[in-house]
Every structure is written in structure tokens, then in C-alpha cells.
Amino acid sequence: GRMFTLMTFTRRLLVIALLCVVSLSCFSSLSGGNGSPASFTGFAAASDTGGSGSSISGGDSKEFRSGSQKFTFQAEVNRLMDIIINSLYSNKDIFLRELISNASDALDKIRFLALTDASALGDGDDAELEIRISLDKEKNMISLRDRGVGMTKEHLVQHLGTIAKSGTSAFIEQMQKGGDVNLIGQFGVGFYSVYLVADFVEVISKHNDDKQHIWESKADGSFAVSEDTENEPLGRGTQINIYLKDDAAEYADQDKLKELVTKYSEFINFPIFLNTTSEVSEEVEIEDGEEEEDAEGDSEDDSEDDAEDSEEESEEEESEEEESEEEE
């Protein structure tokens, strides 16, 4: 009996040892062979979209700019975008709430940095910590601009192209359980809500430590980043250009935007400006001198017309006399 128990115990030890070996080999394959945690960059190697063609405006053609570096979103980011794009969630207004919230965070960051380094804030307009929103009806585009901390090229690739936050997986899991898209901001991935209303997005950003760059994507599984040589310098901060879908035309309305900005600016500590346009009709008074000139011009025209009429009448009388003479 003791011999049987000992053999059974030995077999169990062997099984446990084998399981440990298998577990270690699996961990090693995920971590790269050295036992350290796996490093997921979240995007494929960059490819150059350059060619002999000239630089094309992504907003106009909705194609990546010539010479830009193209990246592939990580699988979970693609899943996240698919959920958002195909969402039947009726309240798409939240995209503006999330973008305003992100802009406010960027302003908070530069204000904090300026506490220890006043030069970080800059001078003139750059020192104005504000958010500006504008509408371009011709391009069917909404622009949101902040004077926050901005992003370097590396930040654009990492923050807007990879899973830098664990909230992405948590949000996807929540949605698979029938969760609400409205909660997207709680998972730290609120930026992607812009694709509730957009079919193309540009993010133009300038950080104090880098040149100005453009991030662009149609949410088709890839994005591109390039140095910005076509837009006006931002100084510092970020501008997001949102090209609206056909079924999001309601947001190309000035009154609608004003309503949303008022609604979502309640707890924001920075001023938000909405650039508006309006048509105004005014009556223009004619000065006395201009009226006299017009009157003189009219009288001269009338006298010329009278003279022409009298000449025509005399010619007709002469022709009638000639006809009567011929008849005689």
C-alpha cells in the first residue's frame, strides 16, 4: 500500500513539473524569450506612402498625403472603431463632449508645466489658454482647436494609433455585454467617438519639443502621420478637423453646435469660443451730391432722348413730303 501511494505521488510530481515547463515556455514565447513582459507597440512597421506625386490635401481627397508614414492600427483598436462606426446609438452628440474634455486636459497639462517653466507657455496668443470651435459648411467640416500641450509625432503614433490604455479592452468587453457608448469617456478612449459622426479625421498638432505634424485616418484600419508643411503654424496645441458623414449633416448647423457647446462647457475651466457667421442687410443712404448728379444725369438722358425723337420725327416728315412730291 505504501509502495502504491509513493508511485502515485511521484507521478503527480512529474505531471506538475511538466506543466511548469510548458508554462515557462509559453511565457517565454510571449515575452520574447527573456522572461520579461511582452512589449506591444500596437502598430505595424511604418511604410512610406511617398512617390513622385505632389502633396495632396487629405481633407479634400480623403487619401493619405504623399510622403506620409502609414501605420496599421492594432487589432483591438480596429474592433473598437468597428463598434463605434456601426453603433446604432442615437445620441452622437457625445463626440463633442469628449473632444472638449480632451482639449481641457491638454490645457491643464501645459498650465501645470508652466508652473515650473514659464517659457513652456510662450507669449502672445500662445499664452491664451482657450478652446476655439469653427464650422466650414463648404467642406462639411468642424474644427476644434486648443492651445494645450500638443503632441509630438511619437505621441500621435502612440496615443492615437496604439492601445496605450487598458480601457480599450475594458470598453470593448462592456459593449459586448450590451454596454452604452455614452460611457466611452470613462475608459479613456473618448477620442475615437469622433467616428460616430466623421468619415475622415485630421489631427494637426504642435508640441514645444517637436515640429508640427498631421495625423489622419478614415478608420479603415490604418492611419498616417506626416510633417505639416501646408497649414498655418499653430504655435502650440492641437486642431482636430472633423469631416462629417452624410448622415451627420445636422452637426453642420451653427445653432446646433452652439447648443452643444453650451451644454458641454458647463464644467470646463477654460473659455470656449464658437466662431459664427451671420448675414446682415443694411440700408445705404445716398448723399445730396449723389442725388443731384443722378438727377442731372437723368435730365441729360431725357433731353438726349427728346432730341433723338425730334430728329426722327423731322426725318419722317421729310420722307412723307418726298413721297407726296413723287406721287404728284
Side-chain angles (χ1 to χ4, degrees), residues 103-105 107-108 111 129-131 265 268-272:
S104 178
D105 290 344
L107 291 168
D108 274 328
R111 184 168 61 180
L129 300 182
E130 61 187 22
I131 301 170
S265 61
I268 302 299
N269 297 321
F270 301 97
I272 302 177

Side-chain angles (χ1 to χ4, degrees), residues 55-256:
S55 178
I56 300 174
S57 172
D60 294 336
S61 64
K62 297 189 177 174
E63 296 294 336
F64 291 149
R65 287 166 171 79
S66 175
S68 63
Q69 283 185 290
K70 184 178 178 181
F71 300 86
T72 302
F73 284 116
Q74 193 186 32
E76 283 196 322
V77 173
N78 274 330
R79 290 176 62 194
L80 170 64
M81 288 188 168
D82 285 342
I83 290 173
I84 292 172
I85 292 171
N86 298 316
S87 173
L88 298 177
Y89 186 63
S90 58
N91 184 19
K92 298 179 180 180
D93 298 354
I94 62 168
F95 84 93
L96 195 58
R97 180 195 68 190
E98 296 303 321
L99 295 185
I100 289 176
S101 176
N102 289 347
S104 178
D105 290 344
L107 291 168
D108 274 328
K109 287 178 181 178
I110 192 63
R111 184 168 61 180
F112 178 77
L113 291 174
L115 294 176
T116 54
D117 181 9
S119 63
L121 197 58
D123 302 317
D125 291 340
D126 292 341
E128 298 294 331
L129 300 182
E130 61 187 22
I131 301 170
R132 289 189 175 272
I133 301 173
S134 60
L135 172 65
D136 187 332
K137 288 188 176 182
E138 291 185 2
K139 293 183 178 181
N140 202 33
M141 178 187 77
I142 299 172
S143 294
L144 188 145
R145 160 94 160 88
D146 69 66
R147 298 187 186 278
V149 68
M151 289 180 280
T152 64
K153 178 183 178 180
E154 184 179 359
H155 292 156
L156 289 170
V157 173
Q158 291 180 351
H159 297 172
L160 302 184
T162 70
I163 297 183
K165 301 176 181 178
S166 59
T168 307
S169 300
F171 176 72
I172 292 174
E173 183 179 348
Q174 187 72 19
M175 290 301 297
Q176 289 174 340
K177 294 178 180 179
D180 193 343
V181 176
N182 185 49
L183 303 176
I184 188 170
Q186 298 180 15
F187 296 89
V189 288
F191 166 77
Y192 298 106
S193 67
V194 72
Y195 287 102
L196 286 169
V197 299
D199 56 13
F200 186 80
V201 176
E202 293 172 323
V203 179
I204 305 168
S205 197
K206 172 68 175 70
H207 189 279
N208 286 337
D209 297 336
D210 201 354
K211 298 177 181 179
Q212 186 165 306
H213 288 86
I214 304 177
W215 178 101
E216 52 189 331
S217 179
K218 294 180 288 185
D220 59 352
S222 61
F223 65 96
V225 179
S226 58
E227 183 178 340
D228 185 7
T229 57
E230 62 192 72
N231 296 295
E232 293 183 3
L234 295 179
R236 187 199 63 251
T238 300
Q239 176 174 316
I240 302 176
N241 295 332
I242 306 158
Y243 294 86
L244 298 170
K245 299 177 182 178
D246 292 336
D247 61 358
E250 62 181 299
Y251 298 101
D253 180 76
Q254 193 167 268
D255 293 334
K256 175 71 172 179

Side-chain angles (χ1 to χ4, degrees), residues 289-303:
E290 293 179 354
E291 290 180 351
E292 291 176 359
E293 290 177 2
D294 293 339
E296 290 175 0
D298 293 340
S299 62
E300 289 176 1
D301 293 339
D302 292 340
S303 61

